[in-house]
Amino acid sequence: MRRKSSRWIAGLAVACAAMLIAFAGSLSAAKNAAQAKPARVDLAAEKSLGTRSAPVTLDVYSDFQCPSCRLFFMTATTPLMNDYVASGKVYLVHHDFPLPMHAHSAEAAKWANAAAEIGKFREVETALYTKQDTWGATGKIDDALDNVLTPAEMKRVRGLLDSPEVTASIQHDEDLAKAKGLSGTPSIFITHKGQTVQIPAQGATYALVKQYIDYLLTQ
Amino acid sequence: MDTASTIPVTAARANWPRWLLLAGRLILGGVFIYAGYAKLREPWMLFAFSINSYQILPEAIVSILARTLPWFELLLGIVLVSGVALRWTATAASGLFILFSAAMLRAYVKNLSIDCGCFGYGEKLGPLRFTFEGALLALALGVTIGAFLMHRRRT
């Protein structure tokens, strides 16, 4: 009787051990799979700022090497982020539209999108505009980013430059721009209650954009 | 000689400048009324963006101009259509077209890719716009000269 029960206990123990091993194995396999294939990053969302449900959406088609884009970013986008995006009033969407006339803008767009893959788009965008003169002249984009990316991040971003996701993201933005018949940057669109208006970029100072957004928010 | 048939023909010939002037001021007035109305039906900031894109005036003036110019155009159009003080309203219209054309020419020379802002938002500045603006300027000058000549003939 005792021998029989001890056999049962031994069998149960072996079964439990086998289950534990199998469970640990499946956990490890899942972990390995997650490491091998990271969750897909929504690049469009990474390149946008604010809440999607904000009453006003500002779509900006930019070229990182275009001086007018830099001016708009420095003088209008940055205060907009603080005054309207942070408070949930404006959803700011960046679209890449590198123009062929700028030698390094396509490469800069790749760096920005690859940085978006690791959640560093804003930092890289700011650095690209701030140091536009430098990398615009030399083409050494990575030099302009060494203050905002760690060596490990730089390595990861460099590895993602020609990834299908980055290529597709830029191509998607370019297709949108072409569908709208755009030929220059920055091209700025403001959408409110389903109505979209393209505002003349040369005249779009922060003071006027602010007054227009304030007007829309009262409607 | 049949005088009965020649008198109306002579009268009609004598009146053609008057009819031409009437047509000219009606077209010109209509253009100004439409230009003012097209801007007033949109928020003034959209017109301000267009004016500011010419990069001529300081922003404070741009805001004032964007709020007042459409009303001025509307008023000028109505007065032109009515024919009251035609010499002076036609002179004002010519002056405005000279200013607008100069601003457009400057933008074109500076290679600014901007909105004209002439008849509301979203109208690109291009060769077609220049041709139209030139035709309107010629019309305004014609009406102005005609109005002065008519006045001289009457007095």
Side-chain angles (χ1 to χ4, degrees):
Chain A
M1 184 80 173
R2 197 180 282 171
R3 197 186 281 176
K4 207 174 182 180
S5 66
S6 65
R7 263 190 212 159
W8 271 105
I9 291 166
L12 208 66
V14 169
C16 283
M19 277 169 72
L20 269 173
I21 290 165
F23 180 67
S26 70
L27 267 183
S28 160
K31 197 177 167 188
N32 285 342
Q35 277 174 349
K37 198 176 181 182
R40 273 195 73 187
V41 179
D42 181 358
L43 285 187
E46 284 294 323
K47 295 194 288 180
S48 308
L49 209 66
T51 48
R52 219 181 273 261
S53 58
V56 174
T57 300
L58 192 89
D59 287 273
V60 184
Y61 290 79
S62 293
D63 171 325
F64 287 110
Q65 209 181 335
C66 131
S68 302
C69 298
R70 175 176 61 177
L71 185 70
F72 186 75
F73 179 81
M74 298 297 196
T75 59
T77 310
T78 307
L80 261 171
M81 287 181 199
N82 301 327
D83 299 347
Y84 290 92
V85 176
S87 55
K89 292 173 184 165
V90 169
Y91 183 50
L92 188 67
V93 186
H94 167 92
H95 297 280
D96 288 292
F97 190 35
L99 301 173
M101 63 191 281
H102 294 135
H104 311 297
S105 62
E107 193 64 16
K110 280 186 185 182
W111 277 90
N113 279 265
E117 286 262 22
I118 64 158
K120 286 277 185 172
F121 177 78
R122 288 294 149 198
E123 293 84 346
V124 166
E125 181 188 39
T126 307
L128 285 174
Y129 280 128
T130 312
K131 298 178 180 175
Q132 191 190 66
D133 288 339
T134 319
W135 65 262
T138 62
K140 291 177 179 170
I141 297 168
D142 44 357
D143 282 357
L145 305 179
D146 55 8
N147 281 345
V148 290
L149 296 176
T150 64
E153 286 170 339
M154 187 76 90
K155 196 179 168 190
R156 275 182 72 194
V157 170
R158 193 174 279 120
L160 290 164
L161 287 179
D162 294 311
S163 72
E165 287 81 9
V166 164
T167 309
S169 172
I170 298 169
Q171 189 60 52
H172 173 71
D173 283 352
E174 284 181 327
D175 289 346
L176 279 177
K178 280 170 193 161
K180 286 178 184 289
L182 303 182
S183 56
T185 53
S187 291
I188 306 152
F189 294 85
I190 296 184
T191 305
H192 177 252
K193 290 187 176 171
Q195 271 205 318
T196 303
V197 163
Q198 183 181 5
I199 59 170
Q202 272 93 350
T205 59
Y206 178 63
L208 285 178
V209 173
K210 181 179 161 52
Q211 287 187 82
Y212 186 49
I213 291 173
D214 286 342
Y215 163 81
L216 291 176
L217 291 172
T218 60
Q219 297 303 299
Chain B
M1 197 173 171
D2 186 359
T3 48
S5 63
T6 50
I7 287 168
V9 171
T10 317
R13 272 185 192 159
N15 267 342
W16 74 263
R18 193 184 296 271
W19 291 112
L20 204 63
L21 189 62
L22 176 70
R25 77 173 159 84
L26 287 180
I27 294 169
L28 204 58
V31 166
F32 271 105
I33 290 171
Y34 179 70
Y37 164 75
K39 287 167 197 132
L40 288 171
R41 69 183 173 178
E42 290 162 353
W44 65 267
M45 301 84 162
L46 290 181
F47 185 40
F49 286 131
S50 296
I51 302 174
N52 205 29
S53 62
Y54 281 90
Q55 299 170 4
I56 297 175
L57 300 167
E59 218 168 294
I61 306 285
V62 166
S63 295
I64 296 168
L65 205 61
R67 289 172 201 250
T68 54
L69 186 62
W71 289 107
F72 181 71
E73 285 179 326
L74 193 69
L75 187 72
L76 185 62
I78 293 168
V79 181
L80 273 167
V81 166
S82 74
V84 175
L86 187 60
R87 281 175 298 157
W88 311 119
T89 50
T91 305
S94 299
L96 271 183
F97 277 121
I98 289 169
L99 282 178
F100 294 159
S101 303
M104 284 180 202
L105 200 67
R106 180 183 172 274
Y108 188 73
V109 169
K110 286 187 85 177
N111 206 20
L112 299 177
S113 172
I114 60 172
D115 267 15
C116 164
C118 312
F119 295 98
Y121 136 84
E123 201 188 349
K124 295 281 171 218
L125 195 62
L128 199 70
R129 183 68 249 170
F130 273 112
T131 312
F132 189 57
E133 200 65 21
L136 287 175
L137 174 60
L139 179 67
L141 288 172
V143 171
T144 308
I145 293 165
F148 274 96
L149 288 176
M150 278 289 196
H151 180 76
R152 223 168 107 182
R153 239 166 79 172
R154 258 189 252 132
T155 52

